[in-house]
Amino acid sequence: MSEQMNVDVAIIGAGTAGLYALREVRRAKKSFVLIDTGPLGTTCARVGCMPSKVALHIGDSWHAQKNFPRYGISGAEHLQLDTQQAWAELRRQRDKFAGGAAEGAERAAGEQLIMGRVRFLTPTLLEVEQAHGKQQIQAKAVIIATGSRPVMPGFLQPFAEHCLTTDEFFEMQELPKSIGILGLGAIGLEMGLALSRLGVEVHGADMATSVGGISDPEVSKYALAEFAKEIKLYLGAPAELAQAEQGVLLKAGDQQVRVDKVLVALGRRANTDQLNLAEVGFELDERGQPLFNPQTMQLGEHPVFIVGDSNGQRALMHEAADEGAMAGFNAVQAKPLAFKRKTPIAIAFTHPDVISVGARFDQLNPDDILIGTAKTQSNGRSQVLSKHEGVLRVYADKASGELLGASMLGMRAEHVAQFLVLAIQRQETVHSLLQIPFYHPVVEETIQSALQDIARHIPDPAGLPFGLVLADA
Ligand SMILES: Cc1cc2nc3c(=O)[nH]c(=O)nc-3n(C[C@H](O)[C@H](O)[C@H](O)COP(=O)(O)OP(=O)(O)OC[C@H]3O[C@@H](n4cnc5c(N)ncnc54)[C@H](O)[C@@H]3O)c2cc1C
């Protein structure tokens, strides 16, 4: 065992959250170590946000030919898709993103980057197991940023050779002819659609009766109708696998189908179970997750913080970045500061996209809200873009007209989400938001239509037309 090292801050995990924490610690000119088991490159760039969007983009590009005959474009039957090359291109782009992130970590941490696995010996004393031995690190503050890993339940073990997680998915050398997707949250849905658009026969199962985590029943109705055109859906029943002569049988309710492979997208579990947290006295919840303050990221009164996927709460890249920055900042303060959390936003890039912004439908009391509805088929730009049928639902406070949340299925809804998150976080009301111009024809005009639908129920006190204010107001 080498000599004990002493630092101001030890950051465990060089993913998005860890790197944002490091930025703050370096800004405060404190001593640090950044420890990672490897591989470097962040989950987002290596096996998450970025390769999944490349897969969707390749799938959409190939799938676009379905519309060619409608536009008088002929000859599409001569087009060829080399799926091996498509996936190789995906990996090339992935390597560029992940390589950039890994280099960024190496550059930012320099010789303070330690490759190894961490275990707590006390709340501020760490043991790092490295290739050449063990090292102890005493830190004034510790930031846990160890991310998460895909869940692979025990009942799938007998079928392991046919099962993939998203960690292995992008390594496939050849696409299967058919695939079952277990779990149709945002990740399962995105990957199922990408594969379906690349010509794979896709069967998707989920215990829930909705997909993509949608809680609004109206948006869910449109999403199910739309995505059932591309994925055979098995919803509302637990799925199981059974042996088949080739591949496996996917069973759900009274239905079953044979598939070559199964993508297991049943969620992710935080990488906190091997850190020795309970043994050194951190308080854990019933899931074994450490209790922490989501505004300071601190664990109890310890000088220890937990951020990103490892705290099991808001498993999104921008949340990991914010939490990392909060913890990096707080780790070097005499007393941690409480930060206001940003408005929630989630986007599945499913083309038509599924979005949720602000409060979810199931978090609101129907008696307290007004709902504005706009169908994408009444929006000129959406009609030009595709024949898909979608809907935007905006929720506003009945008494004040303040925007509370929204959910949508629609083409380019990613932009609607980013627009609405600004409005909601800035506490815009239905009437104040209608005062901005909406260019024609843009997809964002669906927001204007939904707002007008609500405004009808909250008339302007001056009786003016929607969105207009007097010159001397
Ligand atoms: C397929 C997929 C698609 C996604 N799409 C999106 C999207 O479109 N938008 C979005 O916002 N989010 C998306 N996400 C989620 C997003 O990728 C994660 O929320 C984010 O990357 C989490 O960052 P992190 O820093 O918490 O973890 P990570 O980036 O995983 O970093 C954790 C680091 O800790 C290291 N580590 C683990 N255990 C130890 C240990 N014991 N000791 C030392 N080091 C350790 C790991 O090696 C890793 O480098 C997606 C995820 C997946 C899987």
Side-chain angles (χ1 to χ4, degrees):
M1 168 124 28
S2 52
E3 226 175 279
Q4 180 176 297
M5 190 192 268
N6 291 288
V7 291
D8 290 320
V9 185
I11 302 169
I12 316 171
T16 302
L19 292 175
Y20 273 77
L22 175 60
R23 194 169 74 178
E24 293 307 310
V25 174
R26 287 186 59 194
R27 207 161 64 87
K29 301 202 177 348
K30 298 290 180 182
S31 64
F32 66 86
V33 281
L34 177 66
I35 312 158
D36 201 290
T37 49
L40 296 176
T42 79
T43 288
C44 178
R46 265 186 334 100
V47 289
C49 331
M50 299 319 297
S52 59
K53 302 316 164 273
V54 179
L56 282 159
H57 185 67
I58 298 174
D60 287 344
S61 305
W62 175 246
H63 197 63
Q65 60 173 294
K66 298 260 176 220
N67 288 320
F68 287 178
R70 197 153 64 94
Y71 302 137
I73 306 171
S74 57
E77 62 279 9
H78 302 301
L79 293 174
Q80 302 282 326
L81 172 67
D82 180 338
T83 53
Q84 273 189 12
Q85 200 186 322
W87 231 237
E89 166 60 13
L90 177 151
R91 280 192 292 272
R92 195 193 60 74
Q93 290 198 35
R94 183 270 317 267
D95 291 346
K96 197 158 162 248
F97 290 122
E103 274 169 32
E106 283 162 350
R107 211 177 317 116
E111 294 192 346
Q112 270 39 64
L113 176 63
I114 301 177
M115 298 309 295
R117 183 168 295 280
V118 173
R119 219 165 61 93
F120 281 80
L121 299 180
T122 76
T124 53
L125 179 64
L126 306 177
E127 181 183 76
V128 188
E129 200 179 323
Q130 295 173 265
H132 53 268
K134 291 182 178 170
Q135 157 106 60
Q136 287 193 0
I137 296 168
Q138 179 67 55
K140 291 186 188 139
V142 179
I143 298 173
I144 304 169
T146 48
S148 61
R149 60 182 185 274
V151 169
M152 178 65 84
F155 79 93
L156 296 175
Q157 277 313 322
F159 311 97
E161 64 169 310
H162 300 292
C163 290
L164 297 163
T165 67
T166 46
D167 280 1
E168 293 123 9
F169 184 70
F170 304 110
E171 297 305 324
M172 285 190 290
Q173 294 305 314
E174 229 174 289
L175 297 190
K177 287 209 162 38
S178 60
I179 194 163
I181 312 275
L182 291 185
L184 289 170
I187 292 176
L189 188 61
E190 282 188 348
M191 294 305 85
L193 289 165
L195 288 177
S196 168
R197 290 166 192 170
L198 289 168
V200 177
E201 178 190 315
V202 182
H203 299 264
D206 202 300
M207 286 270 281
T209 50
S210 184
V211 294
I214 302 171
S215 82
D216 186 307
E218 191 64 16
V219 178
S220 178
K221 195 176 81 188
Y222 277 83
L224 292 179
E226 197 53 54
F227 298 135
K229 293 177 195 160
E230 299 182 75
I231 299 179
K232 172 92 169 83
L233 298 173
Y234 306 79
L235 299 177
E240 54 183 273
L241 301 185
Q243 300 294 350
E245 239 171 63
Q246 274 192 324
V248 279
L249 282 182
L250 169 65
K251 297 176 161 191
D254 53 6
Q255 304 190 73
Q256 68 174 47
V257 62
R258 196 207 65 80
V259 288
D260 294 329
K261 290 275 176 207
V262 172
L263 173 68
V264 183
L266 293 169
R268 298 176 64 86
R269 75 160 295 173
N271 290 326
T272 47
D273 47 331
Q274 286 155 21
L275 295 175
N276 216 29
L277 297 179
E279 291 77 356
V280 297
F282 293 118
E283 205 183 334
L284 307 186
D285 67 14
E286 63 287 349
R287 297 174 304 152
Q289 278 293 110
L291 296 174
F292 72 102
N293 178 334
Q295 291 184 311
T296 61
M297 314 316 294
Q298 192 178 11
L299 276 68
E301 294 298 315
H302 300 285
V304 179
F305 303 83
I306 186 161
V307 292
D309 283 14
S310 63
N311 67 35
Q313 291 212 346
R314 303 178 178 209
L316 290 169
M317 188 272 183
H318 69 280
E319 299 283 6
D322 276 356
E323 292 181 0
M326 287 184 218
F329 179 87
N330 276 340
V332 297
Q333 306 300 313
K335 188 172 165 24
L337 301 183
F339 289 91
K340 188 172 172 188
R341 299 305 301 251
K342 294 178 186 167
T343 302
I345 173 170
I347 303 172
F349 295 80
T350 40
H351 196 159
D353 305 333
V354 174
I355 64 161
S356 167
V357 189
R360 291 163 53 92
F361 180 81
D362 58 6
Q363 294 169 329
L364 296 167
N365 180 347
D367 295 336
D368 297 340
I369 58 169
L370 289 168
I371 301 178
T373 302
K375 303 223 168 118
T376 60
Q377 282 308 288
S378 308
N379 172 263
R381 182 76 176 140
S382 301
Q383 283 182 57
V384 171
L385 289 172
S386 92
K387 289 200 298 189
H388 297 304
E389 291 190 19
V391 67
L392 166 66
R393 299 240 292 171
V394 174
Y395 323 126
D397 183 75
K398 205 182 239 176
S400 65
E402 185 177 328
L403 298 177
L404 302 174
S407 176
M408 181 178 189
L409 174 84
M411 295 298 284
R412 303 203 181 158
E414 62 180 288
H415 304 298
V416 173
Q418 200 55 56
F419 181 109
L420 281 172
V421 81
L422 177 81
I424 294 172
Q425 184 155 313
R426 298 218 168 154
Q427 297 178 295
E428 297 284 349
T429 66
V430 169
H431 284 293
S432 70
L433 199 55
L434 277 171
Q435 287 170 15
I436 65 158
F438 287 85
Y439 196 80
H440 179 73
V442 294
V443 168
E444 286 81 346
E445 281 177 292
T446 49
I447 302 172
Q448 187 181 34
S449 304
L451 295 176
Q452 288 177 348
D453 191 29
I454 302 176
R456 277 187 264 284
H457 304 284
I458 321 174
D460 184 288
L464 298 174
F466 294 149
L468 298 187
V469 285
L470 296 175
D472 57 3

